[in-house]
């Protein structure tokens, strides 16, 4: 053990310039990721800005009990899980299918043009995306105009709770499908041409080539992406959900993230909102560990 430590120290001393390059990133990570953890003490106190974090009254798990026993808890949890799980199940495979499709295109020029078109929505801000949804799906928007032309009536896309999740999820898939496929496209570009030629010589058709050559190549990336996505099931950003909220669709659009925003920043109940956010983070940590262990058992020990 001591010999290994000395060997590592000699290696670090020899390559100290490489570690100097990493040092700024480590300092920034420590400042912005680890120092703020100190603020989690607010979740266990009745925080008073005048008294500071250490001077505020300690209340233990009172705020957690208040959240778990609140009438909104189950509705918030179910809405968050539905939005995340449906988004994961419906949005995980389209980028993979898109990358496989790009890989089969013979024309590099056409591939680059299609990639440019499909990557572009990722750079549109959430505010613009929501504005487009309100524009296209309003009562007088083009979608309702077409629907009214054929049926003689309109649909309440922006006010009916049942329409909130489909609009949220499918607009997210449209926005991120191109960008999410980059990792798979890059992995497929490194597939050995000899494997592809061998498959062609053996008489493999397109589907057989995809199944036996392309999918095994991107399988490790798929596993890691799935674990990270499943571990972030509870981490639904509040911005898009909050912007899409109306007084009529609140039963479906009110999730934990928007609740934390409203309670913490709008109502000023910092301790309670911090407790809710910490509860959310702990659930995410548990999920990512459980999913990782499950995938390892199903995938011959390969995981994060």
């Amino acid at each position: 053990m001591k010999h290994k430590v000395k060997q590592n120290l000699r290696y670090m001393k020899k390559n100290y310039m490489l570690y100097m390059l990493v040092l700024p990133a480590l300092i920034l990570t420590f400042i912005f990721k680890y120092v703020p953890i100190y603020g989690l003490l607010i979740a266990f106190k009745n925080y008073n800005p005048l008294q500071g974090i250490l001077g505020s009254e300690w209340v233990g798990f009172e705020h957690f009990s208040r959240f778990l026993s609140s009438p909104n808890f189950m509705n918030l949890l179910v809405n968050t899980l539905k939005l995340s799980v449906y988004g994961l199940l419906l949005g995980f495979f389209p980028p993979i299918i898109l990358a496989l499709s790009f890989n089969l295109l013979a024309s590099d020029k056409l591939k680059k043009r299609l990639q440019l078109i499909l990557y572009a929505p990722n750079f549109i801000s959430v505010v613009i995306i929501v504005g487009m949804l309100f524009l296209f799906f309003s009562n007088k928007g083009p979608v309702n105009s077409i629907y009214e032309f054929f049926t003689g009536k309109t649909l309440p896309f922006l006010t009916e709770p049942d329409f909130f999740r489909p609009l949220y999820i499918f607009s997210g898939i449209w926005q991120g499908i191109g960008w999410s496929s980059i990792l798979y496209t890059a992995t497929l570009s490194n597939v050995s041409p000899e494997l592809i030629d061998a498959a062609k010589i053996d008489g493999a058709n397109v589907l057989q080539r995809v199944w036996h050559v392309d999918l095994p190549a991107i399988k490790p990336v798929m596993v890691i992406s799935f674990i990270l996505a499943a571990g972030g099931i509870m981490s639904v950003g509040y911005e898009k959900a909050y912007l899409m909220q109306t007084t009529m669709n609140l039963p479906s659009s009110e999730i934990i993230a928007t609740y934390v925003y409203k309670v913490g920043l709008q109502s000023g109940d910092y301790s309670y909102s911090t407790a809710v956010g910490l509860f959310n983070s702990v659930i995410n940590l548990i999920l990512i560990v459980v999913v990782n262990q499950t995938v390892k058992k199903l995938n011959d020990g390969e995981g994060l």
Side-chain angles (χ1 to χ4, degrees):
M1 183 66 181
K2 291 183 179 179
H3 175 71
K4 190 174 181 180
V5 171
K6 289 181 179 179
Q7 187 178 6
N8 289 335
L9 289 175
R10 283 198 300 268
Y11 179 82
M12 292 175 66
K13 185 177 180 180
K14 181 180 178 180
N15 301 282
Y16 74 96
M17 290 299 292
L18 296 177
Y19 289 95
M20 290 295 291
L21 292 174
V22 180
L23 187 61
L26 293 176
I27 293 173
L28 290 174
T29 301
F30 178 77
I31 293 174
F32 292 103
K33 296 296 183 180
Y34 288 93
V35 172
I37 293 176
Y38 166 70
L40 292 178
L41 285 173
I42 295 174
F44 304 95
K45 296 193 170 197
N46 274 331
Y47 176 65
N48 187 329
L50 298 178
Q51 296 176 343
I53 295 178
L54 295 179
S56 299
E57 177 189 4
W58 180 271
V59 295
F61 292 94
E62 179 182 319
H63 299 300
F64 295 93
S65 300
R66 174 184 163 193
F67 176 60
L68 294 175
S69 60
S70 68
N72 295 324
F73 172 69
M74 283 307 300
N75 185 51
L76 293 170
L77 183 62
V78 169
N79 285 344
T80 303
L81 287 174
K82 282 184 177 180
L83 209 59
S84 300
V85 173
Y86 292 162
L88 173 61
L89 295 178
L90 295 173
F92 182 72
F93 291 104
I96 298 172
I97 296 171
L98 181 63
L100 292 172
S101 302
F102 279 151
N103 193 52
L104 295 174
L105 286 177
S107 173
D108 291 335
K109 190 174 183 181
L110 177 61
K111 184 189 300 185
K112 290 179 180 179
R113 288 182 178 178
L114 289 175
Q115 286 176 329
L116 179 62
I117 294 171
L118 292 169
Y119 294 169
N122 181 72
F123 301 98
I124 302 175
S125 70
V126 176
V127 177
I128 301 299
I129 294 292
V130 175
M132 292 168 63
L133 290 175
F134 275 81
L135 179 66
F136 282 101
F137 291 93
S138 64
N139 286 335
K140 299 297 182 181
V143 175
N144 256 325
S145 298
I146 296 172
Y147 186 79
E148 186 178 15
F149 177 79
F150 288 103
T151 63
K153 57 183 179 180
T154 59
L155 291 174
F157 288 109
L158 303 177
T159 56
E160 179 65 36
D162 292 338
F163 286 114
F164 172 78
R165 292 190 192 99
L167 287 177
Y168 183 99
I169 293 170
F170 287 107
S171 63
I173 293 173
W174 169 77
Q175 184 181 12
I177 184 173
W179 190 255
S180 300
S181 69
I182 289 178
L183 194 58
Y184 301 110
T185 304
T187 305
L188 287 170
S189 66
N190 291 323
V191 175
S192 173
E194 295 177 357
L195 289 175
I196 299 174
D197 293 338
K200 291 179 179 178
I201 293 172
D202 290 339
N205 57 33
V206 173
L207 292 178
Q208 289 172 331
R209 172 189 152 188
V210 169
W211 183 260
H212 294 287
V213 178
D214 294 340
L215 282 177
I218 62 174
K219 182 182 176 183
V221 179
M222 290 171 60
V223 170
I224 294 172
S225 298
F226 180 78
I227 293 172
L228 294 176
I233 277 178
M234 299 288 287
S235 298
V236 183
Y238 81 92
E239 299 94 343
K240 187 176 178 181
Y242 182 73
L243 291 169
M244 289 180 64
Q245 275 186 358
T246 63
T247 54
M248 301 295 290
N249 66 16
L250 275 177
S252 293
S253 62
E254 189 74 306
I255 58 177
I256 292 178
T258 58
Y259 183 70
V260 169
Y261 172 77
K262 291 176 182 178
V263 172
L265 294 181
Q266 293 185 353
S267 301
D269 196 344
Y270 303 115
S271 296
Y272 180 61
S273 62
T274 303
V276 176
L278 181 57
F279 167 82
N280 204 36
S281 300
V282 171
I283 297 299
N284 271 332
L285 177 61
I286 294 172
L287 282 173
I288 197 169
V289 171
V290 171
V291 172
N292 187 39
Q293 293 301 320
T294 304
V295 170
K296 278 185 176 181
K297 291 181 180 179
L298 298 175
N299 195 38
D300 300 327
E302 292 184 12
L304 281 179

